[in-house]
Amino acid sequence: MPIQDFSRSHRDPKVPPKPAQPFIWAKRIAVFVPALICTIVLAMLFRDTVPAGGSTMKNAAWIATITVTFFWISFVLCLSAAGLITMMRRRVAVIKPKFTPPLKVAILMPVYNEDVSEVFANVLTMQDDLNETPNLHRFSAFVLSDSQDPKIIAQEHRAFTHARATHALSDQLYYRRRENNQDFKTGNLRHWVTNWGAHYDAMLVLDADSLMSAQAVLRLTNTLAQNPHLGIVQGALRIFRGRSLIARWQQFAGVAFGAFFARGLALWSGDEGNFFGHNAIVRTRAFAACSGLPAMPSREDVHIPILSHDFVEAALMRRAGWGIRILPDLEDSYEGTPETLIDFIRRDRRWCQGNMQHLRIMSSAGFHLISRHHLLHNALTYLMSPAWLALILFWTAHGFTTTEPNSSANFLIFGVIYAMLLAPKIAGAIVILASKSKLRTFGGVADFAKSFAVEIVVSFLIAPIMMIHQTIGVGRSIFRLPPHWGTPVRQGEKHSLKTLIHFHAIEIVLGFVLASGIALGSLSVWLSPIAFSLALAPVISHFSRFDLKGRPSNVITLDTILDQEKPEILSAADVHRRTFEKLLRSPLVYDASIKLKRPAFRQKPVEKRA
């Protein structure tokens, strides 16, 4: 797995010829041009808000910030609109039988101090489901541990030993632990690739909380096998097992609105798609030949790994000639999420620092234009936060109120901003309300309406808080400070009042400054939602962990299809998880009564979708 040179283009001679993509650039232009036109119109409207008498450089910076911000919003909106149009025009295609070469696939689950019961339960559930679903491929599972906590290491050994002793597919299950977690997940995968990768045609890369049904795995595998020019096939993702307010908020939003953006992204990308790091299948030899990552220098000359490595690996494989495809409608492909706002922000810090590294990588030699776009768009996701904060501070410094001469322009602009942010959600709500089958999966009209309202409120409350922390993250990245986050916490923990106040101290100060300006009439009331969110950040953070799962039916629970019609794969995983929880709670002696029960899956047909 040679280290790649970003300054020199590389083409893999083993890449098969890539088939043509009809009208792909026409589709991309159809998304890009409306976003550009919308941005120009909004920027012209914003000229009226530039204060008279300001310096030319200051006004130019003001307009530039507005333009970049609006283009990002417009582009996301146009991608979602393209996805919505694609869904509305979807037709049932005639599926022709296609030869599928059998592949030898390794299911890889990298872990670092994770919930051992969930890890082994998910792996064994996927093995059971694949074993009972007819297919020609051969699958083996690897738990790749980077854990450093002695207690968790002991639990991993115990769970693996028990699984090998009692599970019917034990000869297809492997466990390996590195003594150190050098280079984090990137180093973990590299270690496996360079030691075992040559034995396998492909690797199904998971996250520590990933779960996929056999149908989802086989669709990814068949797509890779039937298209030899593809190097990665990335599946869509759904959040599952959410209990807290913030986790179920994300779960609801992903099911209700996420499909539009995913389809739009797949339409825009074609075979120049992206890699999200998990719930995807990767051609092993192509990955080894093209995706060895160098370290990145920091301010203290301490080299740190590329953190958001997945996007860069996809760009490198596309540079070598391999195709990257996204399957936006893949079902039964799940991932977990943090259960508190603080844990969510801590995870976001890592993503922020990794995405900001993309700005230094996107100009690398030989990258495809769409790969550069993916890297830039990922960085802009975080750069928008300091841009929004700059606009708010600018408004604050110039005392924009609703009584000044250009107040009508301010009303119009703020109205347009809020409308554009809400448009994808409103479109999703209309689609769901128009479909009885979809509406039923959300509990009916009344339950969906309440959940929709809560989702909007939570989005507006959390967005300003994330803006502050992402701005801090961008600042740390600009000064190339070393990574700053803790061990991932997926189950959530109760934080003390002192911790909440200390963690959100900056938001509290800014919130009260804005609130004071609004109360004195020196700031526009349009800034009230932001001031309210920032001033009450500790309260919002505290209630973000409020447990909604299992609440009475008259309480808003943000239900989705995962609650109304629980997929079979989730129920099967729960059976295994309870078994491992019982095992790990029992004394450290072998208990023959604790056996791994194989959940009874219904017989499934072979995946035949194109």
Side-chain angles (χ1 to χ4, degrees):
M1 193 169 178
I3 299 299
Q4 298 300 304
D5 186 351
F6 288 142
S7 65
R8 186 176 301 174
S9 184
H10 167 71
R11 178 81 182 181
D12 191 342
K14 297 182 180 180
V15 180
K18 185 169 175 275
Q21 302 180 72
F23 308 110
I24 184 63
W25 281 104
K27 297 174 183 177
R28 290 167 179 166
I29 292 172
V31 172
F32 184 84
V33 171
L36 185 62
I37 293 174
C38 185
T39 301
I40 294 172
V41 172
L42 290 172
M44 293 176 65
L45 287 175
F46 244 113
R47 287 185 306 176
D48 295 334
T49 67
V50 178
S55 68
T56 303
M57 185 173 293
K58 182 188 294 186
N59 291 347
W62 166 245
I63 294 296
T65 303
I66 292 170
T67 303
V68 172
T69 305
F70 276 160
F71 179 76
W72 188 82
I73 298 175
S74 302
F75 185 78
V76 172
L77 180 61
C78 289
L79 271 184
S80 300
L84 177 59
I85 293 171
T86 302
M87 291 180 66
M88 294 175 63
R89 297 184 60 184
R90 188 179 182 186
R91 299 177 182 177
V92 178
V94 178
I95 302 175
K96 299 179 180 179
K98 195 172 182 179
F99 173 67
T100 304
L103 299 181
K104 190 176 181 182
V105 182
I107 301 173
L108 307 183
M109 181 170 281
V111 299
Y112 176 74
N113 295 342
E114 304 287 350
D115 183 335
V116 177
S117 299
E118 182 176 20
V119 167
F120 281 89
N122 290 355
V123 168
L124 294 185
T125 301
M126 292 176 63
Q127 282 190 299
D128 287 337
D129 202 10
L130 285 166
N131 187 58
E132 297 189 17
T133 304
N135 71 90
L136 300 175
H137 309 291
R138 291 180 295 165
F139 294 92
S140 299
F142 289 78
V143 176
L144 305 177
S145 174
D146 266 5
S147 299
Q148 303 299 306
D149 186 321
K151 180 180 178 181
I152 293 178
I153 294 171
Q155 289 181 341
E156 289 174 353
H157 281 283
R158 190 177 185 193
F160 172 69
T161 301
H162 192 83
R164 291 284 298 208
T166 61
H167 195 254
L169 303 175
S170 60
D171 60 332
Q172 302 169 24
L173 176 65
Y174 302 90
Y175 170 83
R176 184 273 286 140
R177 191 184 80 83
R178 292 197 301 167
E179 291 299 323
N180 62 71
N181 64 321
Q182 181 181 357
D183 293 345
F184 311 121
K185 185 176 179 179
T186 306
N188 199 350
L189 290 178
R190 184 193 304 120
H191 184 268
W192 181 88
V193 169
T194 55
N195 285 278
W196 293 276
H199 294 285
Y200 296 89
D201 302 306
M203 52 185 186
L204 180 74
V205 183
L206 304 175
D207 215 348
D209 52 8
S210 296
L211 180 63
M212 301 180 71
S213 70
Q215 290 292 336
V217 172
L218 291 177
R219 188 174 176 205
L220 290 177
T221 307
N222 291 342
T223 302
L224 189 76
Q226 294 166 358
N227 298 274
H229 71 285
L230 293 180
I232 300 177
V233 183
Q234 173 67 63
L237 300 168
R238 276 188 177 180
I239 293 173
F240 77 127
R241 286 180 181 160
R243 299 192 62 88
S244 67
L245 172 61
I246 189 171
R248 293 185 69 79
W249 161 67
Q250 295 175 77
Q251 181 174 304
F252 176 86
V255 174
F257 319 127
F260 305 142
F261 181 78
R263 287 180 181 273
L265 180 62
L267 177 72
W268 162 270
S269 300
D271 280 351
E272 285 77 40
N274 219 338
F275 178 34
F276 304 150
H278 55 94
N279 294 46
I281 192 165
V282 182
R283 202 174 296 276
T284 312
R285 289 185 179 274
F287 185 83
C290 309
S291 298
L293 300 180
M296 301 287 287
S298 68
R299 189 179 183 184
E300 292 83 5
D301 293 327
V302 177
H303 286 67
I304 62 175
I306 295 176
L307 302 177
S308 293
H309 55 90
D310 37 19
F311 280 48
V312 182
E313 289 160 349
L316 288 170
M317 290 190 68
R318 184 62 196 90
R319 179 177 76 170
W322 294 101
I324 318 292
R325 183 175 296 178
I326 299 173
L327 301 183
D329 57 345
L330 187 72
E331 297 180 353
D332 288 341
S333 175
Y334 305 103
E335 66 169 337
T337 189
E339 295 282 349
T340 70
L341 180 57
I342 288 181
D343 295 328
F344 181 79
I345 291 171
R346 285 172 176 166
R347 183 185 69 173
D348 197 66
R349 287 174 179 171
R350 181 179 74 253
W351 290 358
C352 176
Q353 194 149 7
N355 289 11
M356 291 301 294
Q357 289 176 334
H358 293 169
L359 294 175
R360 300 158 60 189
I361 297 173
M362 58 177 290
S363 59
S364 300
F367 277 6
H368 192 280
L369 179 62
I370 300 302
S371 296
R372 298 185 198 277
H373 166 268
H374 289 315
L375 295 172
L376 176 61
H377 187 271
N378 226 30
L380 284 176
T381 302
Y382 290 91
L383 286 172
M384 286 304 99
S385 287
W388 280 113
L389 182 60
L391 294 180
I392 292 171
L393 295 177
F394 190 88
W395 280 318
T396 303
H398 290 83
F400 283 172
T401 69
T402 56
T403 59
E404 57 191 24
N406 59 356
S407 60
S408 59
N410 289 337
F411 274 114
L412 176 62
I413 290 163
F414 275 109
V416 170
I417 291 173
Y418 286 134
M420 291 176 68
L421 293 173
L422 289 173
K425 301 176 187 288
I426 294 174
I430 293 173
V431 170
I432 292 170
L433 290 171
S435 171
K436 291 183 179 179
S437 60
K438 289 183 178 181
L439 194 59
R440 187 165 53 251
T441 65
F442 290 94
V445 177
D447 284 347
F448 174 75
K450 290 187 291 186
S451 297
F452 178 76
V454 170
E455 197 281 334
I456 297 296
V457 172
V458 173
S459 297
F460 274 96
L461 288 176
I462 290 180
I465 299 173
M466 295 304 300
M467 174 186 66
I468 299 301
H469 284 279
Q470 288 178 353
T471 300
I472 295 171
V474 169
R476 292 185 62 87
S477 299
I478 290 174
F479 291 102
R480 299 187 184 182
L481 298 176
H484 176 64
W485 62 81
T487 301
V489 180
R490 303 184 193 274
Q491 303 303 319
E493 59 179 296
K494 186 176 181 180
H495 300 290
S496 65
L497 178 61
K498 180 181 178 180
T499 300
L500 291 170
I501 294 176
H502 180 266
F503 192 88
H504 297 289
I506 297 177
E507 298 99 284
I508 296 172
V509 173
L510 288 176
F512 277 102
V513 168
L514 291 176
S516 299
I518 294 169
L520 295 173
S522 59
L523 293 178
S524 172
V525 294
W526 285 95
L527 297 175
S528 297
I530 298 173
F532 180 83
S533 169
L534 296 178
L536 297 181
V539 178
I540 296 170
S541 188
H542 172 74
F543 281 102
S544 70
R545 66 179 299 275
F546 184 72
D547 191 347
L548 294 181
K549 188 71 173 175
R551 296 285 171 176
S553 58
N554 59 342
V555 177
I556 299 173
T557 56
L558 297 173
D559 279 355
T560 65
I561 187 173
L562 303 181
D563 304 287
Q564 301 294 330
E565 303 173 14
K566 189 174 183 179
E568 190 178 36
I569 191 73
L570 301 188
S571 299
D574 288 341
V575 173
H576 273 320
R577 191 173 72 254
R578 287 192 292 269
T579 301
F580 278 108
E581 287 173 348
K582 180 181 178 181
L583 169 72
L584 298 177
R585 286 196 306 265
S586 65
L588 194 58
V589 294
Y590 178 71
D591 187 348
S593 66
I594 303 176
K595 295 183 178 180
L596 292 171
K597 300 177 181 179
R598 294 180 64 190
F601 289 96
R602 293 188 293 272
Q603 193 71 9
K604 303 177 182 65
V606 180
E607 174 61 57
K608 293 183 179 180
R609 284 182 290 184

